[in-house]
Amino acid sequence: MKKVILAAVFCFFAFVSGYSQTKQESIKELFKVMQTDSLMAKTFDAIISGSMTNLRGVIKDSAANAATNVMMKSMMQNLKVMMKKMIDEDMVSLYDKYFTQNDINAYIIFYKSPSGQKFLKVTPDLQKDLMNVMMTKYMPEIQKSIQAGMPNKE
């Protein structure tokens, strides 16, 4: 009797771990279909590019600009390594935590569809345009609000 119970428990855990592995594989497939690594890389590239443009306006010394370029390239390489680890490990765990297998399957179907592919294609441009709107339309107001809340230097 004990052997039967032990075998049943073993089969149950083997089934559960097999299901979990299948779900994690599905999540990785979703990330591939969503082009998650490419979208994140484009986002980081845009952030770095914007930062470099802002720094060039502030830093007038060519040697300092060159040093900043080297530092930013190194930082970008480190970010790409961290980004890959985050996608492969942390994001898989988080998606596993918050989405069911059926959710993941539905997202894969959507992102493989023409509408899903269009969504993926326009997302970087959409984010870039949204960032421009935020910086030009809302940032001056935020800056005024921050300055209004700061104590006057007398």
Side-chain angles (χ1 to χ4, degrees):
M1 181 69 169
K2 289 180 183 179
K3 289 181 182 179
V4 171
I5 293 173
L6 184 60
V9 169
F10 176 76
C11 289
F12 172 75
F13 283 112
F15 172 76
V16 170
S17 68
Y19 175 78
S20 178
Q21 184 178 6
T22 302
K23 184 178 176 188
Q24 289 186 348
E25 288 172 359
S26 296
I27 293 167
K28 288 179 181 180
E29 179 186 355
L30 174 63
F31 292 162
K32 184 177 180 183
V33 172
M34 289 174 59
Q35 304 164 12
T36 302
D37 56 345
S38 173
L39 290 174
M40 284 189 144
K42 287 178 184 175
T43 301
F44 281 126
D45 287 343
I47 291 168
I48 297 296
S49 176
S51 298
M52 289 301 297
T53 301
N54 290 338
L55 285 173
R56 281 188 202 108
V58 174
I59 302 172
K60 302 297 181 190
D61 182 285
S62 61
N65 262 331
T68 301
N69 283 338
V70 169
M71 179 197 70
M72 292 300 265
K73 285 180 183 178
S74 173
M75 187 172 83
M76 192 64 184
Q77 287 302 111
N78 290 334
L79 282 173
K80 286 180 180 181
V81 169
M82 286 189 296
M83 179 185 66
K84 177 151 179 46
K85 184 176 180 180
M86 183 180 73
I87 292 169
D88 292 344
E89 297 173 13
D90 303 313
M91 284 181 61
V92 170
S93 296
L94 290 170
Y95 272 59
D96 191 15
K97 178 180 177 181
Y98 289 102
F99 299 108
T100 67
Q101 181 71 49
N102 288 337
D103 293 334
I104 300 299
N105 293 342
Y107 299 144
I108 290 170
I109 291 168
F110 170 71
Y111 284 112
K112 285 184 175 181
S113 74
S115 295
Q117 289 297 301
K118 181 178 181 180
F119 181 82
L120 292 170
K121 183 179 178 187
V122 303
T123 294
D125 292 330
L126 182 66
Q127 289 174 333
K128 182 176 141 189
D129 290 347
L130 187 58
M131 184 62 73
N132 286 334
V133 167
M134 185 181 84
M135 295 305 285
T136 58
K137 188 173 181 179
Y138 297 102
M139 191 52 76
E141 186 177 322
I142 291 169
Q143 289 173 336
K144 285 179 189 174
S145 174
I146 289 170
Q147 288 175 346
M150 294 177 83
N152 293 332
K153 292 182 180 178
E154 295 179 28

Short mmCIF file of all heavy atoms in Angstrom, two decimals, residues 49-76:
data_model
loop_
_atom_site.label_atom_id
_atom_site.label_comp_id
_atom_site.label_asym_id
_atom_site.label_seq_id
_atom_site.Cartn_x
_atom_site.Cartn_y
_atom_site.Cartn_z
N SER A 49 20.80 56.79 -26.75
CA SER A 49 20.96 57.80 -27.80
C SER A 49 20.48 59.17 -27.31
O SER A 49 21.15 60.18 -27.52
CB SER A 49 20.18 57.38 -29.05
OG SER A 49 20.24 58.37 -30.03
N GLY A 50 19.34 59.18 -26.66
CA GLY A 50 18.81 60.44 -26.12
C GLY A 50 19.72 61.01 -25.05
O GLY A 50 19.96 62.22 -25.00
N SER A 51 20.24 60.14 -24.21
CA SER A 51 21.15 60.59 -23.15
C SER A 51 22.43 61.16 -23.76
O SER A 51 22.94 62.19 -23.31
CB SER A 51 21.53 59.43 -22.22
OG SER A 51 20.39 58.94 -21.58
N MET A 52 22.95 60.50 -24.79
CA MET A 52 24.17 60.98 -25.45
C MET A 52 23.94 62.35 -26.09
O MET A 52 24.79 63.23 -26.00
CB MET A 52 24.65 59.98 -26.50
CG MET A 52 25.22 58.71 -25.92
SD MET A 52 26.62 58.99 -24.82
CE MET A 52 27.80 59.70 -25.94
N THR A 53 22.80 62.52 -26.71
CA THR A 53 22.47 63.81 -27.33
C THR A 53 22.42 64.91 -26.27
O THR A 53 22.97 66.00 -26.45
CB THR A 53 21.13 63.73 -28.07
OG1 THR A 53 21.22 62.71 -29.07
CG2 THR A 53 20.77 65.04 -28.73
N ASN A 54 21.79 64.61 -25.15
CA ASN A 54 21.70 65.59 -24.06
C ASN A 54 23.09 65.90 -23.49
O ASN A 54 23.40 67.06 -23.21
CB ASN A 54 20.78 65.10 -22.95
CG ASN A 54 19.33 65.09 -23.37
OD1 ASN A 54 18.94 65.79 -24.30
ND2 ASN A 54 18.53 64.28 -22.71
N LEU A 55 23.91 64.86 -23.32
CA LEU A 55 25.25 65.06 -22.77
C LEU A 55 26.13 65.87 -23.71
O LEU A 55 26.93 66.70 -23.27
CB LEU A 55 25.91 63.72 -22.46
CG LEU A 55 25.41 63.00 -21.21
CD1 LEU A 55 26.03 61.60 -21.11
CD2 LEU A 55 25.71 63.80 -19.96
N ARG A 56 26.00 65.64 -25.01
CA ARG A 56 26.80 66.40 -25.98
C ARG A 56 26.49 67.89 -25.90
O ARG A 56 27.37 68.72 -26.12
CB ARG A 56 26.56 65.88 -27.40
CG ARG A 56 27.32 64.62 -27.68
CD ARG A 56 27.23 64.21 -29.17
NE ARG A 56 27.50 62.81 -29.29
CZ ARG A 56 26.60 61.87 -29.56
NH1 ARG A 56 25.35 62.18 -29.79
NH2 ARG A 56 26.95 60.60 -29.62
N GLY A 57 25.25 68.20 -25.59
CA GLY A 57 24.87 69.60 -25.44
C GLY A 57 25.47 70.23 -24.19
O GLY A 57 25.72 71.42 -24.14
N VAL A 58 25.71 69.42 -23.17
CA VAL A 58 26.24 69.91 -21.90
C VAL A 58 27.77 69.88 -21.89
O VAL A 58 28.41 70.82 -21.44
CB VAL A 58 25.67 69.07 -20.73
CG1 VAL A 58 26.31 69.45 -19.42
CG2 VAL A 58 24.16 69.20 -20.66
N ILE A 59 28.34 68.80 -22.40
CA ILE A 59 29.79 68.62 -22.37
C ILE A 59 30.38 69.19 -23.66
O ILE A 59 30.12 68.68 -24.75
CB ILE A 59 30.17 67.13 -22.24
CG1 ILE A 59 29.57 66.54 -20.97
CG2 ILE A 59 31.68 66.96 -22.25
CD1 ILE A 59 29.72 65.04 -20.85
N LYS A 60 31.15 70.25 -23.53
CA LYS A 60 31.72 70.91 -24.70
C LYS A 60 33.12 70.41 -25.04
O LYS A 60 33.56 70.51 -26.17
CB LYS A 60 31.77 72.44 -24.47
CG LYS A 60 30.42 73.06 -24.16
CD LYS A 60 29.47 72.89 -25.32
CE LYS A 60 28.12 73.55 -25.00
NZ LYS A 60 27.09 73.25 -25.93
N ASP A 61 33.80 69.83 -24.09
CA ASP A 61 35.17 69.35 -24.28
C ASP A 61 35.15 68.06 -25.10
O ASP A 61 34.47 67.10 -24.75
CB ASP A 61 35.80 69.12 -22.90
CG ASP A 61 37.24 68.66 -23.01
OD1 ASP A 61 37.44 67.48 -23.35
OD2 ASP A 61 38.14 69.48 -22.73
N SER A 62 35.93 68.01 -26.21
CA SER A 62 35.92 66.83 -27.08
C SER A 62 36.50 65.60 -26.38
O SER A 62 36.05 64.48 -26.62
CB SER A 62 36.67 67.12 -28.38
OG SER A 62 38.01 67.43 -28.11
N ALA A 63 37.50 65.78 -25.53
CA ALA A 63 38.07 64.64 -24.80
C ALA A 63 37.04 64.06 -23.83
O ALA A 63 36.92 62.84 -23.69
CB ALA A 63 39.34 65.06 -24.06
N ALA A 64 36.31 64.93 -23.17
CA ALA A 64 35.28 64.48 -22.24
C ALA A 64 34.15 63.78 -23.01
O ALA A 64 33.60 62.77 -22.54
CB ALA A 64 34.73 65.65 -21.43
N ASN A 65 33.83 64.30 -24.18
CA ASN A 65 32.81 63.65 -25.02
C ASN A 65 33.26 62.25 -25.43
O ASN A 65 32.47 61.31 -25.41
CB ASN A 65 32.52 64.49 -26.27
CG ASN A 65 31.28 65.34 -26.11
OD1 ASN A 65 30.36 64.99 -25.39
ND2 ASN A 65 31.26 66.47 -26.79
N ALA A 66 34.52 62.12 -25.82
CA ALA A 66 35.06 60.82 -26.22
C ALA A 66 35.02 59.84 -25.06
O ALA A 66 34.64 58.67 -25.22
CB ALA A 66 36.48 60.97 -26.75
N ALA A 67 35.41 60.30 -23.88
CA ALA A 67 35.39 59.45 -22.69
C ALA A 67 33.95 59.03 -22.36
O ALA A 67 33.69 57.88 -21.98
CB ALA A 67 36.02 60.16 -21.51
N THR A 68 33.02 59.95 -22.53
CA THR A 68 31.61 59.65 -22.27
C THR A 68 31.10 58.61 -23.26
O THR A 68 30.36 57.70 -22.89
CB THR A 68 30.76 60.94 -22.35
OG1 THR A 68 31.24 61.87 -21.39
CG2 THR A 68 29.30 60.66 -22.08
N ASN A 69 31.51 58.72 -24.52
CA ASN A 69 31.11 57.74 -25.54
C ASN A 69 31.59 56.34 -25.18
O ASN A 69 30.85 55.37 -25.29
CB ASN A 69 31.64 58.13 -26.92
CG ASN A 69 30.83 59.24 -27.56
OD1 ASN A 69 29.68 59.47 -27.21
ND2 ASN A 69 31.45 59.94 -28.49
N VAL A 70 32.85 56.24 -24.74
CA VAL A 70 33.42 54.95 -24.35
C VAL A 70 32.65 54.39 -23.16
O VAL A 70 32.29 53.20 -23.14
CB VAL A 70 34.92 55.09 -24.03
CG1 VAL A 70 35.47 53.83 -23.37
CG2 VAL A 70 35.70 55.42 -25.29
N MET A 71 32.38 55.24 -22.19
CA MET A 71 31.64 54.80 -20.99
C MET A 71 30.23 54.32 -21.36
O MET A 71 29.78 53.27 -20.90
CB MET A 71 31.55 55.93 -19.98
CG MET A 71 30.78 55.55 -18.71
SD MET A 71 30.24 56.95 -17.73
CE MET A 71 28.98 57.65 -18.77
N MET A 72 29.56 55.06 -22.24
CA MET A 72 28.20 54.69 -22.62
C MET A 72 28.18 53.38 -23.42
O MET A 72 27.28 52.57 -23.24
CB MET A 72 27.55 55.82 -23.44
CG MET A 72 27.29 57.08 -22.61
SD MET A 72 26.18 56.79 -21.23
CE MET A 72 24.64 57.25 -21.95
N LYS A 73 29.17 53.16 -24.28
CA LYS A 73 29.23 51.90 -25.03
C LYS A 73 29.44 50.73 -24.07
O LYS A 73 28.82 49.67 -24.22
CB LYS A 73 30.34 51.95 -26.07
CG LYS A 73 30.00 52.80 -27.27
CD LYS A 73 31.12 52.84 -28.29
CE LYS A 73 30.75 53.76 -29.43
NZ LYS A 73 31.82 53.88 -30.42
N SER A 74 30.31 50.91 -23.10
CA SER A 74 30.55 49.86 -22.11
C SER A 74 29.28 49.59 -21.30
O SER A 74 28.91 48.44 -21.05
CB SER A 74 31.68 50.28 -21.17
OG SER A 74 31.82 49.35 -20.13
N MET A 75 28.60 50.66 -20.91
CA MET A 75 27.37 50.53 -20.15
C MET A 75 26.31 49.80 -20.97
O MET A 75 25.59 48.94 -20.46
CB MET A 75 26.85 51.90 -19.72
CG MET A 75 25.67 51.85 -18.79
SD MET A 75 25.23 53.47 -18.14
CE MET A 75 24.26 54.09 -19.49
N MET A 76 26.25 50.09 -22.27
CA MET A 76 25.29 49.45 -23.15
C MET A 76 25.56 47.95 -23.24
O MET A 76 24.62 47.14 -23.20
CB MET A 76 25.35 50.09 -24.53
CG MET A 76 24.23 49.70 -25.42
SD MET A 76 22.68 50.30 -24.75
CE MET A 76 21.57 49.61 -25.93
#
